[in-house]
Every structure is written in structure tokens, then in C-alpha cells.
Amino acid sequence: MSDTPPQTPGFDDMTRDIAEVPAVEVLVTVAVNLMSAAAVKLGLSEEGDKYKDLDEARKLVHALAGLLDASTTEISSFHAAPLRDGLKSLQLAFREASLVPDEPGQGPGEKYTGPVYG
């Protein structure tokens, strides 16, 4: 067994790795991470209510909607359509999970998507 510590990637290596990733892939990855985090905060994970936090979920869903609104023209509908569907599902789940639902058009991300109905 060697006593040398494992090598961590240096800044140049990370920069080169990022440079090779298309912008669409970065945008989709960030969107999927926001969706996953929002789902957990909405209590939709296997752990259910253990990590449920609607205040945090609201922030994540709103950020996802803003990202999708800003990037939809930059990514193809092949990528955008399922992300928009996922966003709508999260918005509906948020409305359902809220004890006092927001007025239509006032829910998380509805500033960008317009009112979301079931």
C-alpha cells in the first residue's frame, strides 16, 4: 500500500473538463439537480416527509423555472419539453403539499410559467 495521498484534480484539469462539456449539457444537468433537490424538499423521495421543507422547495422550484425560462431558447425542445413537464409536476406537487395553497399565478416559478393548474 502506498503512503502517497490520492491526487485531486487541479484547476487546469477541471477547467479542461468543463471546457469539453457542451452548454446544453451543463444547463440540463443543473436543471435536473434543481428538480431532484426540489422533489426531496417536497417530500417526494423514498424518505417521504423526513426532508420535507416547503420554504426550501419554493426556492428551488422558482430557480428551476427561472433557469428554464432563460435557457429555453438556447436548448432544443428535445431537452426543454421534459424539463418543463417536470417543472409543472413539481409546481403541482407544491400546491398539493401546501396547507394554504398560493393563489393561481403566485406559486413558485409561476412568475415565469404563468398559473399552473392540475
Side-chain angles (χ1 to χ4, degrees):
M1 205 151 89
S2 174
D3 288 333
T4 57
Q7 294 293 322
T8 56
F11 182 76
D12 290 339
D13 293 332
M14 290 187 294
T15 301
R16 186 174 43 254
D17 290 345
I18 290 293
E20 295 171 2
V21 179
V24 170
E25 190 173 326
V26 173
L27 292 168
V28 170
T29 299
V30 169
V32 169
N33 285 333
L34 286 169
M35 290 174 124
S36 298
V40 169
K41 296 296 185 176
L42 284 167
L44 302 176
S45 67
E46 288 181 15
E47 292 86 7
D49 288 347
K50 182 177 180 182
Y51 300 109
K52 188 173 183 177
D53 183 336
L54 294 183
D55 185 51
E56 291 289 301
R58 176 183 294 277
K59 293 170 188 170
L60 293 163
V61 172
H62 189 76
L64 173 63
L67 174 64
L68 294 182
D69 183 58
S71 63
T72 297
T73 59
E74 304 301 322
I75 61 177
S76 68
S77 60
F78 173 80
H79 291 97
L83 294 173
R84 282 192 302 265
D85 290 345
L87 170 60
K88 182 177 180 180
S89 294
L90 290 170
Q91 288 171 311
L92 291 171
F94 185 91
R95 185 172 301 282
E96 187 176 305
S98 298
L99 295 176
V100 180
D102 295 312
E103 292 295 319
Q106 301 301 307
E110 291 183 8
K111 167 183 174 180
Y112 301 107
T113 64
V116 175
Y117 301 100

